[in-house]
Amino acid sequence: MAQPRARGWRIAQHLTVPTLAIAVVALLPLAKSGAPEQTDRWTPLTPANVSFSQKTGPTTSAQLLGFNDFHGNIDAPLGSGGLINGTPAGGAEYLSTWLTKLRDAAKADGVRNSDTVVAGDSIGATPLVSAAFHDEPAIEVLNAMGVDISSVGNHEFDEGVDELKRIQFGGCHPVDGCQDGDGFAGAKFPYLAANVTNKSNKLPILLPFTIKFYDGVPVAYVGMTLEGTPGIVNPAGIKNVDFRDEVQTANQYATVLSWLGIKSMVLLIHEGGLQSSPPAPLDPSGCANFAGPITDIVKGLNPAYGVVVSGHTHRFYTCELPNSSGANSLVTSAGTAGTLVTDIRVSLDKKSRKFVDASATNVIVENGVKLADGTWQKDAAGNFVRNAALVDPKIKAIADKYRTAVAPLANKVVGSITADITNIALASGESTLGDVIADAQLKYTASAGAQVALMNPGGIRQSLIYANSPGGEAPGQVTYGEAFTVQPFNNLVVTQPISGAQLKKVLEQQFTGFEGQTTQKILQVSAGFTYTYSASAPLGSKISNITLNGTPIDPAATYQLTTNDFLANGGDGFSNLNQPSATRVYAPGFDVDALTAYLAPGAIAPGPGDRITKIA
């Protein structure tokens, strides 16, 4: 078997980290994250194409195939999550086929070098077919489809640093062992974590970068997650590491790499942005009205980072964004769940070893059967018919092994719904599925005296689709696998006392800038609890008309509040929920158990979507 040798090579490669990492740490006082003031020069509605410098000699070319936020979507995602402007897309068997198609197309164009790169969140928040096996299935399919390099994302830390290292280097799970009976060799590709360092020695927990040679021209790949990762993962698993500033870290490595004679660099970073309409629908390869944290990050980057493959926001785009020199870098994202692949082409000057130009196009990972009229074939229940000709058999063999193993649990019917219940936010930020989940948690903790339940929207990963029948069940019936896909984190359900005044502060903390909140997150609320918010009101004064069962909340009174333990521990920036643990009552099981218990009586309708009122 080749597995021990491959695993040994990966461990040996990581032993080279300390010397270079120490050099980077020594550069801390030299790091500069500032950038000259830029002006808006570009609002493209076409794929990005950046020219960097004039040729000084012969050139070579390379293809980078990029994607991000795969989240263990071995099966094609359902509902709107599996559509790109109406085209059914995604699924590991199809993603692998499209990667092969794009590699073959590059070869036909005379491009001899191709690497597949990922910008984080390949694991974590995954459907049951992967999550039940601690995401070993996701890694095995990524290995088989030829992923070469990945950065870590925030979800790589869902089960903590030690588990991430097992995912990289292999070995059986310390509690559940090797569940599939054939061992686990780990990721064949390096996970890069330049800005995640041990508190004890300040060194990266995994490789910070790797170097590829394209016809003799070295290109460095530096990988990292967002600095804000501690606010969006369970703190228990990351207590011994620091998450450092993205720009400072990237530029420190750029300095060291330039000492090694490397002039061309690619940043794989799990942070991003988003396009906004118009136009509608948005072009998968466009950059319309672009905004987001990645813009300021790129503004501070050393211009050697000619290509930035980003993620986290689950949005698609290809952009030209100014770096610290005022010139543009190519910035891409391929949405989520393997529904798109970014085909990036670069040319490099063999003499100067610099990028000459780079272009990017997002390609849809089609998985459907297209009819003559341009529509997509559906079955009698309204589900898209998958195209057997686009299935990669080697990926299917891996996927089928785990599908078979998990089927008895995944296909167990746990309840039923009357219509689609979606996680799509209404204008207020409320969703019909958010209502149902909050109601489920309130009912689940009734014995603890719960009066209000709050649910974080980022913890609701998929919609419940009436016509979906993964186990052949009747339309409207919901399986455990479907419920787990909605809530895959195995969070605990916690009830704790909170004053009316503190509850208002929690609601105020939904908005960016209030007491450390970095992004707007509208919490989903249970039946009987209502409030109004004003988008234009000052921070700290946005919330009004808070009532419980029609009675105004009393600031001096105490209420019993239910959340998941991620929120209760201050996750998603809700520090005002982090109350003394001695006051908490933990419900049995996990949050998915609350949902399945609520669905069990059957005929559950979508939530009303009228509990939160937004005014100007």
Side-chain angles (χ1 to χ4, degrees), residues 518-583:
T518 57
T519 57
Q520 180 169 305
K521 300 178 180 73
I522 302 300
L523 297 169
Q524 308 299 292
V525 303
S526 55
F529 187 74
T530 62
Y531 70 90
T532 298
Y533 74 88
S534 168
S536 60
L539 287 175
S541 302
K542 292 182 179 291
I543 303 297
S544 62
N545 301 326
I546 311 172
T547 68
L548 178 60
N549 299 321
T551 301
I553 290 290
D554 180 354
T558 298
Y559 300 88
Q560 294 299 319
L561 173 69
T562 292
T563 66
N564 57 48
D565 65 330
F566 168 71
L567 276 177
N569 291 331
D572 271 349
F574 287 97
S575 59
N576 284 305
L577 280 172
N578 194 0
Q579 304 294 313
S581 58
T583 64

Side-chain angles (χ1 to χ4, degrees), residues 49-60 264 346-350 352-358:
N49 192 331
V50 181
S51 293
F52 297 101
S53 60
Q54 295 295 317
K55 295 186 295 183
T56 63
T59 62
T60 188
S264 298
V346 300
S347 63
L348 298 132
D349 190 312
K350 289 186 174 182
S352 69
R353 299 193 296 276
K354 293 182 178 180
F355 286 121
V356 175
D357 53 50

Side-chain angles (χ1 to χ4, degrees), residues 465-477:
I465 305 301
Y466 181 85
N468 186 45
S469 300
E473 71 278 3
Q477 290 187 323

Side-chain angles (χ1 to χ4, degrees), residues 70 72-78 90-94 127 129 337 386 399 403:
F70 177 61
N73 274 273
I74 289 172
D75 297 317
L78 303 173
E93 296 148 311
Y94 307 97
V129 68
R386 307 302 181 188
R403 288 167 179 151

Side-chain angles (χ1 to χ4, degrees), residues 236-503:
I238 58 170
K239 59 186 178 183
N240 295 322
V241 297
D242 292 316
F243 292 82
R244 296 176 53 198
D245 180 86
E246 304 98 335
V247 175
Q248 285 187 347
T249 303
N251 288 345
Q252 288 157 17
Y253 280 103
T255 300
V256 171
L257 291 163
S258 70
W259 291 348
L260 301 176
I262 297 172
K263 304 298 178 67
S264 298
M265 304 174 198
V266 176
L267 182 63
L268 307 179
I269 181 168
H270 192 69
E271 181 61 290
L274 69 160
Q275 300 187 70
S276 298
S277 297
L282 291 166
D283 180 357
S285 298
C287 191
N289 303 302
F290 188 81
I294 195 65
T295 302
D296 285 336
I297 290 172
V298 175
K299 272 185 182 180
L301 287 181
N302 185 308
Y305 290 105
V307 178
V308 178
V309 181
S310 66
H312 188 55
T313 57
H314 291 198
R315 304 301 179 96
F316 49 66
Y317 48 84
T318 71
C319 295
E320 298 177 26
L321 299 179
N323 56 48
S324 65
S325 72
N328 286 335
S329 294
L330 180 72
V331 183
T332 72
S333 174
T336 183
T339 54
L340 291 159
V341 174
T342 312
D343 188 355
I344 302 168
R345 305 290 181 94
V346 300
S347 63
L348 298 132
D349 190 312
K350 289 186 174 182
K351 183 178 179 181
S352 69
R353 299 193 296 276
K354 293 182 178 180
F355 286 121
V356 175
D357 53 50
S359 63
T361 304
N362 276 329
V363 179
I364 300 176
V365 178
E366 295 180 6
N367 62 26
V369 177
K370 200 165 192 177
L371 302 175
D373 63 359
T375 61
W376 298 92
Q377 184 179 351
K378 293 184 178 181
D379 61 20
N383 300 303
F384 288 103
V385 174
R386 307 302 181 188
N387 191 340
L390 293 174
V391 169
D392 183 330
K394 69 178 182 295
I395 304 299
K396 186 177 188 299
I398 298 170
D400 282 349
K401 176 181 73 170
Y402 289 107
R403 288 167 179 151
T404 299
V406 83
L409 175 61
N411 294 334
K412 180 182 178 182
V413 174
V414 296
S416 66
I417 56 177
T418 63
D420 291 354
I421 308 179
T422 78
N423 63 348
I424 299 171
L426 304 171
S428 64
E430 189 176 348
S431 72
T432 60
L433 185 50
D435 288 353
V436 168
I437 290 173
D439 290 350
Q441 293 188 1
L442 183 68
K443 184 175 181 180
Y444 195 65
T445 54
S447 62
Q451 297 167 279
V452 180
L454 301 177
M455 175 64 193
N456 56 309
I460 308 173
R461 307 304 294 190
Q462 288 281 358
S463 300
L464 287 174
I465 305 301
Y466 181 85
N468 186 45
S469 300
E473 71 278 3
Q477 290 187 323
V478 178
T479 64
Y480 182 82
E482 289 177 281
F484 189 89
T485 300
V486 170
Q487 289 189 275
F489 293 107
N490 277 343
N491 288 317
L492 301 175
V493 184
V494 180
T495 305
Q496 61 186 7
I498 190 170
S499 71
Q502 191 73 3
L503 182 54

